[in-house]
Amino acid sequence: MNRKRNYIIGYLYLIPALVIFILFTYWPAIYSFYLSFFNTTTSVGHAIFVGLSNYAYLFRTGEIPYSPFTAFEYSFIRFSFAFIISVAIFGWIEKGGKNSKNLIPLLIIPIFALVFVYPSLSTLGGNLYIFILWIALGLLTYFFTRKMEFYKFHTVLFLLSLLGLYIVAFYIGRRIDLYLLFFKIAQNNSFIMSVWNTFYFVIIDVPLTIVISLAAGLLMKNLPFFKAFFRTAFFAPYVASIVAVSLLWLWMFNYHYGIFNYILSWFGISPINWLNSASLTMPTVAILSIWEYFGYYGLIFLSGLQNIDQEYYEAAEIEGANSFQRFVYITWPLLSPITFFVMVVSLINAFQVFTQVYVLYNQMPGPYANSGLTMVFYIYNTFYNEQQMGLASAAAYVLLGIIMVLTLIQFKTTEKRVEYNI
């Protein structure tokens, strides 16, 4: 009886916290999901049930000058032949290469592709050199990285080289393709533009944040003096107000008086109009975001570095391993739990970027053409300025879905490679 009584008393003490948590966390989330199925232009009391219309409206395409099938034909097919040849040759080399039986797929796959791709090969036009360069780059990437066997790094580089050249080919192609079609749609749909800008920001922000944070962690660990000073200095931006930090960087990015352009003038480089260039909007915001968070993540990496047993390094030194080899084969694998955590958290934070854009561009989504319109900024603008609560709620749940899917993919693909130092 006394044990049950203690349990009851314990839960009674938790009731106030649970009530606050439900009222301010669960209830708004549930009600916003409910609201996403209604059209609310003036007030919640006059909401009209519209089902999935809000979600459909977010992804509307409007009138486009050509069909997606035409864009698919002109973009994908004209490069697929080069991609298949590159992958076939790469796979053949990976499996041994000299065995004549392995040569059969190398011959069959390109011939099969040629039969089906041949009617569209004429669309290569001026991209023939890109077509050839793509194959060459993929193979050269393999030969230069085949000895980097940790996590099959050469395979990753090979695929990234193909992806990078594919993007270059989009710009050089000067033809109808999916890339141009996407921007035709985005011009008529601000939400799709916000999705594009957010992903663009994430691609810039997350990898650089991880690399710079790791470098900061290594620096804080190996500095022979002033360790406390640098740890405080690196961590200070994270605890400072994001609005104050953004205002500080607003002056640093100033075209006439900013410190960045002043430093560039030392090298004879013309001033860069950081805050009035559509192409530099998301990179500029990424620089600010990286500076804000790298000290926090750097301290997390530092805690992981300090937990690595020094006996591993001593054994490696006895075996003659240099500093780079010790980092690649000891430090980096044993830091995988920390890296995994930082990757997940930084990805979630990056998708929620808003304040930096709001302050840097004076409450506007970039200098012009919605170049700084992120998904959270779209939700804010739709909710507060346009008073469309249902549409804003739908956009918020699309953002939630994207974050959940990408986080799940990270767990499924990365968690198996995490090595826990027990």
Side-chain angles (χ1 to χ4, degrees), residues 296-327:
Y296 168 66
Y297 295 132
L299 288 176
I300 295 176
F301 275 116
L302 176 62
S303 67
L305 290 167
Q306 292 175 335
N307 287 328
I308 298 177
D309 196 333
Q310 293 300 312
E311 292 182 358
Y312 294 119
Y313 295 107
E314 294 171 0
E317 287 182 9
I318 294 174
E319 295 294 329
N322 56 37
S323 57
F324 177 75
Q325 290 172 327
R326 292 197 298 270
F327 173 79

Side-chain angles (χ1 to χ4, degrees), residues 224-244:
F225 47 79
F226 297 131
K227 289 185 177 181
F229 169 77
F230 280 100
R231 292 176 186 179
T232 304
F234 287 163
F235 188 67
Y238 179 75
V239 297
S241 168
I242 181 61
V243 176

